[in-house]
Structures are given as structure tokens and as C-alpha cells.
Amino acid sequence: MFLHKIDEELSLKLLELKDAERVFAITNQSREYLREWLPWLDNTTKLEDTKGFINISLKGFAENKSVNTVIMYKGQIVGVAGYNQINWSNKTAYIGYWLGEEYQGNGIMTRVAKALTDYAFIELKLDKVEIRVAVENKKSRGIPERLGFVNEGCIRQAEWLYDHYVDHIVYGMLAKDWNKW
């Protein structure tokens, strides 16, 4: 079991099947809000879809390829964050995250991304953390920017979002630079 306390309000807990109902409920409550930037909403229409994602996440964790957690804010699940992928050969983790609409604006995701970056460098001994964000997703881009990540460039047409492509900015942080932050 993975549990990482960030501060008095926040912690990250390994995503488990028992979390499926709450995660699906947040997804439903924030569906239109999340749909603007996340490509999987139309494929997550019932509880079984969330359970399927959790099973895939647990398999990735067991194989040491990824770590998906629920974000616990004041004792309640409010979103999902983690390493979508860990590339052990290149010592790189790729952070992904989403937060229920009603929990926006509390600094939650910046603290979560900082904690995941700390954990990648200190506990996992990785050398790089990347966060990829759609160019127009200003709120999400603000997170790596506030944390001092370097804008390493733009990947054109990086992701298909329902009826159009979006470009992604790749933000990177190296272990040697994180200590300066």
C-alpha cells in the first residue's frame, strides 16, 4: 500500500477498487469541466469504466511502471494524480493529474505536484520529472511554472481531444535543479 502524507490537509493514497464509486462520482460531477482537457471522459460513463482504470493502474503499480493515487483533501477523495509512467531506463517519471471542479483554487494540485516531484527525486532516485500540458490549459500550465519546471518545448498535435488536436508543452525538472528550488 502506498500512502504519502503531504501536509495536514493533503495526502496521496494508492488508487484501490474500493475508491471506484467516489472517483466515478467526482468524474460525473465535474464531467463537462474535465472534458475540456482530458480525452477519456466519453469513455468513462459508468462505474465499471472507473473500475477498469483502477485495475490497469494496480497492474502498472505491481509491475513498477506507474503509480496512480487518489488525492485525499481533508479526508475526502477529490481527484487523481501520480506517475502515468515511470521510465526506469531513463530515470524519468511523467506526472499526470486531475481535480474535481469544486476543489479548484485551493492550491491542492501545486502541493501534490511538488510532493510527487520530491518523491521521484528523493525516494525513487529518478533524474527527471516531466509534466505535459495542453498549450491553452492555463490553469494546469501554472502548476509546473509555479514549481520552477523548465518549458522544454512544444509537441505539435500531441493529443486528440474529441474533435480536434491540441499541442502540448513539455515541462521538465532535473534532480540537480530541484534542490535549488
Side-chain angles (χ1 to χ4, degrees), residues 16 32 36 38 47 49 52 58 94 105 117 124 143 154 157:
E16 301 175 272
E32 286 309 306
E36 183 176 8
L38 298 175
L47 180 60
D49 298 328
L58 290 170
Y94 302 88
T117 304
L124 300 180
I143 294 163
C154 180
Q157 294 188 351

Side-chain angles (χ1 to χ4, degrees), residues 78-146:
V78 298
V80 173
Y83 310 119
N84 291 332
Q85 178 188 1
I86 301 171
N87 182 325
W88 292 103
S89 298
N90 292 322
K91 297 186 182 211
T92 303
Y94 302 88
I95 294 177
Y97 45 76
W98 64 266
L99 191 63
E101 183 175 14
E102 67 184 282
Y103 303 101
Q104 299 287 322
N106 295 301
I108 293 170
M109 204 53 81
T110 300
R111 288 183 280 166
V112 165
K114 181 182 183 307
L116 286 168
T117 304
D118 281 339
Y119 193 87
F121 294 145
I122 296 165
E123 302 298 327
L124 300 180
K125 307 291 187 222
L126 298 175
D127 188 58
K128 185 174 185 180
V129 172
E130 282 189 13
I131 299 175
R132 296 179 181 212
V133 182
V135 170
E136 298 301 318
N137 188 345
K138 304 291 189 221
K139 281 185 179 181
S140 197
R141 284 185 62 183
I143 294 163
E145 289 171 2
R146 276 190 293 281

Side-chain angles (χ1 to χ4, degrees), residues 110 113-114 117-118 121 142-149 173-181:
T110 300
K114 181 182 183 307
T117 304
D118 281 339
F121 294 145
I143 294 163
E145 289 171 2
R146 276 190 293 281
L147 294 174
F149 277 63
M173 178 58 73
L174 301 178
K176 68 181 180 72
D177 297 331
W178 186 245
N179 294 331
K180 296 174 188 170
W181 178 249

